[in-house]
Amino acid sequence: MPKTIFTSDLGATKCHAGLVSLNDTTGNLHCTHSHTVKLSAFASLDALMHELEKQLGTRIAATDAICIGAAGQYDGAELLHENAYPFSMPFAALASKASWPAYAVIHDYAPIVCATFTDYMIKPANLKRLNDCPINHDGRRVALGIGTGLGLKDGVLLPNGDFWLGKNEIGHIGIATPPHATQDELKRHQALIKHLQPRSLTFEHILSGAGTTRLYQFLYPDRAALKPEQIGEQMRANLLPELVAIFAWYLGLFVGTVQLIFMPEGGIWITGGVALSHLEAFEHPSFERGIHASPAYRALRDTYPLGILLNPEHALLGNAYYASKRLL
């Protein structure tokens, strides 16, 4: 008999939730319903969950398991975030009051890693390959999220279908001067460090949602200020070629740094609102130059798969995979 899993991708500003059907016999997962809401439209966690139940057409407590991938840290009672949510997130109290079945609140990049353990991930419609390296299903893999913030999670698929997940942080790591770059790239890098002072130069400060704004102000100090959405539109229309180039270079430097830190034979798999909005950056020559600006172990790193997860349901399916192995 199939089981139903309630899954939720809870970000800093919005919540994407859904119902995923699990076939007990085959292990196949299928997202049957999904819905997205903005957190600002609600005053409490109760109200948020009530609206999701209404939109999905079922009581959350009537499902077989619940898995919530969330930005921030869950302390076993409440979900906490560096930039406060618009209301408190007391999941343990709500679960007790509403008689939830087995549930888990996990790091929001954990389900992205788990999604790569599923067959759906390798379907061409759901994946943009950035190289043609064979996918090593047994190798360590990393999921990168580039959106409102920046984060990652590494993991390994075990022979029995279970998995191991790491505990790590990347967004707030400072960017060191790359050892192999042109004089122009190094001069620009040093100028950007000076421009951002007293703020430090981290990957999150220049690649996340507000990052393109900082790069725009750095490159075009005499131009009128633009909102991030306007900057994104102009980047995609090729009206800001210098910004696309510098963004692509730091994006490549980020990927190369992650390769060196984790040596992920199972590949690096990228997603997030900013990444999906700027697919053109991954095809820019500066992206590859950024990766190779840290040249150590290049021959080995060139064998690691690299791709972008395109399916908007990947987090929901990854949550469901987690639930299928840890909660059911």
Side-chain angles (χ1 to χ4, degrees):
M1 183 176 178
K3 289 184 168 56
T4 299
I5 302 169
F6 172 83
T7 75
S8 173
D9 180 21
L10 179 58
T13 60
K14 63 183 180 179
C15 179
H16 182 51
L19 299 176
V20 176
S21 176
L22 167 67
N23 186 312
D24 268 347
T25 304
T26 64
N28 287 341
L29 298 164
H30 174 65
C31 186
T32 59
H33 299 82
S34 65
H35 186 72
T36 301
V37 296
K38 291 185 176 181
L39 299 185
S40 59
F42 305 95
S44 68
L45 181 60
D46 275 0
L48 169 65
M49 291 300 170
H50 179 73
E51 177 64 17
L52 292 176
E53 288 181 326
K54 177 182 174 182
Q55 295 297 332
L56 297 176
T58 191
R59 289 175 53 251
I60 295 175
T63 61
D64 296 291
I66 298 166
C67 189
I68 297 167
Q73 293 184 330
Y74 183 60
D75 64 5
E78 185 172 352
L79 179 63
L80 307 172
H81 198 278
E82 187 177 77
N83 299 314
Y85 282 105
F87 46 83
S88 62
M89 298 283 183
F91 278 102
L94 176 60
S96 176
K97 181 177 71 174
S99 300
W100 278 6
Y103 76 97
V105 181
I106 61 178
H107 186 279
D108 54 347
Y109 295 111
I112 309 303
V113 177
C114 290
T116 70
F117 300 148
T118 67
D119 290 338
Y120 110 93
M121 189 276 291
I122 61 174
K123 295 179 180 178
N126 297 326
L127 176 67
K128 177 181 176 66
R129 293 296 304 271
L130 298 176
N131 60 28
D132 58 1
C133 299
I135 297 177
N136 178 357
H137 290 284
D138 299 323
R140 188 182 197 180
R141 80 265 323 265
V142 172
L144 292 184
I146 306 173
T148 304
L150 199 70
L152 63 74
K153 180 69 68 175
D154 68 319
V156 177
L157 179 64
L158 303 177
N160 64 357
D162 201 356
F163 50 86
W164 171 88
L165 296 178
K167 297 180 182 295
N168 32 52
E169 169 57 51
I170 190 72
H172 301 289
I173 291 178
I175 304 176
T177 301
H180 189 86
T182 67
Q183 287 299 314
D184 286 343
E185 288 167 342
L186 290 175
K187 184 183 296 185
R188 186 184 63 191
H189 180 69
Q190 294 299 326
L192 180 58
I193 292 174
K194 185 176 181 180
H195 171 77
L196 289 176
Q197 290 178 345
R199 182 188 294 272
S200 60
L201 179 60
T202 69
F203 285 114
E204 182 158 299
H205 286 155
I206 59 174
L207 293 179
S208 65
T212 53
T213 301
R214 297 187 180 102
L215 292 177
Y216 177 85
Q217 293 168 344
F218 167 67
L219 291 172
Y220 314 109
D222 298 327
R223 296 191 186 183
L226 295 177
K227 296 179 179 179
E229 295 80 7
Q230 295 172 311
I231 295 173
E233 290 172 0
Q234 293 198 17
M235 289 175 67
R236 289 186 290 275
N238 201 30
L239 298 176
L240 301 172
E242 302 90 351
L243 180 51
V244 174
I246 189 174
F247 180 81
W249 189 78
Y250 278 109
L251 190 60
L253 187 62
F254 180 42
V255 169
T257 299
V258 172
Q259 285 179 334
L260 282 170
I261 292 173
F262 294 95
M263 302 301 281
E265 296 177 335
I268 293 179
W269 309 103
I270 304 168
T271 188
V274 172
L276 297 179
S277 295
H278 294 295
L279 295 177
E280 73 281 353
F282 294 96
E283 299 175 357
H284 196 284
S286 293
F287 175 66
E288 186 172 344
R289 288 202 300 271
I291 293 177
H292 297 150
S294 299
Y297 298 97
R298 176 173 172 179
L300 180 58
R301 289 160 52 205
D302 283 346
T303 68
Y304 298 160
L306 184 62
I308 304 171
L309 299 178
L310 302 175
N311 191 318
E313 313 296 352
H314 58 254
L316 302 185
L317 291 168
N319 273 319
Y321 187 90
Y322 183 101
S324 72
K325 301 301 179 182
R326 299 291 172 85
L327 302 177
L328 294 174

